Amino acid sequence: MMDAIFKNWTVIRIVKMIMGILVLYQSIVMESAMLIGLSILLCLIVLLNAGCTSGSCSTHYSSSKRRNSKR
């Protein structure tokens, strides 16, 4: 778990973390509980490197299956 937090920081991951922190700051200023919760969730997803951008939700779809199926 600690490896996911401290390793593999790419430019996109850093940008997403900055955006999450900015949204968190703005939601605190606006006093919006829903946005605070969503921005904390966004920061946690980036911090733990979870989600589809980390390559953890690949699909096993083969293009040959599509060609062989009838429509």
Side-chain angles (χ1 to χ4, degrees):
M1 175 135 164
M2 296 301 282
D3 289 339
I5 295 173
F6 294 114
K7 291 186 178 180
N8 299 328
W9 279 89
T10 61
V11 175
I12 298 297
R13 191 172 172 195
I14 293 169
V15 168
K16 285 194 278 185
M17 182 56 95
I18 291 170
M19 293 295 288
I21 292 170
L22 290 175
V23 171
L24 179 62
Y25 171 75
Q26 186 62 35
S27 59
I28 291 171
V29 169
M30 291 175 39
E31 298 177 358
S32 174
M34 186 185 329
L35 282 178
I36 291 172
L38 289 174
S39 60
I40 289 174
L41 179 65
L42 174 66
C43 288
L44 281 175
I45 288 171
V46 173
L47 190 65
L48 297 175
N49 200 19
C52 290
T53 57
S54 64
S56 62
C57 48
S58 62
T59 58
H60 300 289
Y61 181 75
S62 174
S63 61
S64 64
K65 289 181 183 178
R66 185 174 184 185
R67 280 187 253 136
N68 293 335
S69 65
K70 294 181 180 179
R71 287 191 165 201

